[in-house]
Amino acid sequence: MIRFAFYLPHDHPEIAEGVSHAVEVYMHGVGQGPKTIRHSFTDDDEGDALTVERWSYVRRLLSPDRPFRFIEELPEDIAARMEKRGYATRVILDGGLRSRNGYEFHYQARIPWRTPSLDTVSLLFATLPTEYLHEHGPTKVRELALEMASQLRFASGHVGFALRLYWPLRRADASLRAELTRHPGIDLRPAWFEEQHLGERVDGVHWLNFLGQPVLGQAGGAELLRSRLQAADATVHELDVNRVMVSLGHGPEAGDLSLGCELPTYREFARVLEPWLEPLPLSEEAGCEVERYSAVGFTREEAQRWSRRFLD
């Protein structure tokens, strides 16, 4: 699939307008119907069809208005329930429980603590099936990404090939695991489910890479980024003075290590970003006889090797 990911180090009221804009852009780009988006989940409900009434409710949830500003202002039982679930607001739009068609929009607002944690962000994800890329081409996907990002106050973000697993791989799936690691351009990070703690760091290198503050400033800004990227297919597009998109090629590439296709442009950009790349969250606690991580089922050594695939 093609995955869009944006990491927003702000509480919902501060980013609500940008998130609502991104929802509308995504829905305009993919359409609503039985083959795309027709269902929604909100907060911790059981989901429902995306009717006119349901859309109205979703839009109210995404508005900046709130009866409270910080979780400390809520009654103790409500605050405890919010803290247990791990987010303040969540909206998921997809094809429904029986239709995993590759179209999904997911927004999750972080809990608004009066003193926020620096490593906790609000999340905005969207996906497209690879058939969308084949039908519409990479230019259409790039335009969709740019328009979705246009009003988002992101610290970082990206678009590219990614793996979506609905259940963990078995230990016996070693051949599939090996096949995945042959293709460095396919992002396996979503299988770790720890993205709300990314903070202001960067989640790897991808086809389209969005950088905001503080990383963009620490990296020297758009002009210095341009000077450090020598590959002909790497471009830096300025959204504004505080945000850029770095594109690595005309379209997303999976790569293939067995054929010597190591994605050199991705490797060059990884070396530029190395000081700000977020390491994978690897627990010190062994969960089984051979310690394994994520739905992919990597060992610690495999996970670390994958996370540095563009650096070593």
Side-chain angles (χ1 to χ4, degrees), residues 163 165 167-174 176-177 180 294-297:
L163 176 71
L165 290 174
W167 52 83
L169 296 183
R170 303 165 301 170
R171 290 194 193 182
D173 293 326
L176 177 55
R177 218 167 352 258
L180 290 172
S294 83
V296 179

Side-chain angles (χ1 to χ4, degrees), residues 38 95-101:
R38 62 175 180 176
L97 295 174
R98 293 181 175 84
S99 179
R100 291 169 177 166
N101 56 26

Side-chain angles (χ1 to χ4, degrees), residues 120-138:
T120 303
V121 295
S122 298
L123 305 171
L124 190 152
F125 302 137
T127 63
L128 302 171
T130 53
E131 289 81 2
Y132 186 98
L133 175 67
H134 296 152
E135 180 179 352
H136 298 281

Side-chain angles (χ1 to χ4, degrees), residues 79-89 108-111 113 120-121 196-197:
R81 188 164 68 249
M82 180 182 294
E83 188 172 0
K84 181 178 180 179
R85 73 188 188 189
Y87 56 83
T89 299
Q108 180 173 304
R110 72 182 185 182
I111 295 175
W113 295 102
T120 303
V121 295
Q196 70 271 23
H197 300 306

Side-chain angles (χ1 to χ4, degrees), residues 44-59:
D44 47 7
D45 70 12
E46 296 182 357
D48 203 351
L50 199 53
T51 61
V52 172
E53 292 77 14
R54 186 71 167 176
W55 256 123
S56 178
Y57 176 63
V58 167
R59 290 188 172 102

Side-chain angles (χ1 to χ4, degrees), residues 65-95:
D65 298 329
R66 286 289 185 273
F68 68 98
R69 178 60 183 90
F70 301 109
I71 188 174
E72 289 90 345
E73 300 169 3
L74 292 172
E76 186 174 341
D77 59 331
I78 298 176
R81 188 164 68 249
M82 180 182 294
E83 188 172 0
K84 181 178 180 179
R85 73 188 188 189
Y87 56 83
T89 299
R90 184 174 68 176
V91 171
I92 300 175
L93 309 175
D94 60 17

Side-chain angles (χ1 to χ4, degrees), residues 19 27-28 69 76 81 105 108 122 125 135 165 188 193-194 227 243 249 251 253 258 274:
V19 171
M27 292 301 300
H28 180 74
R69 178 60 183 90
E76 186 174 341
R81 188 164 68 249
F105 186 98
Q108 180 173 304
S122 298
F125 302 137
E135 180 179 352
L165 290 174
L188 306 181
F193 307 119
E194 294 285 345
S227 70
R243 302 176 304 155
E253 296 184 73
S258 67
E274 184 173 7

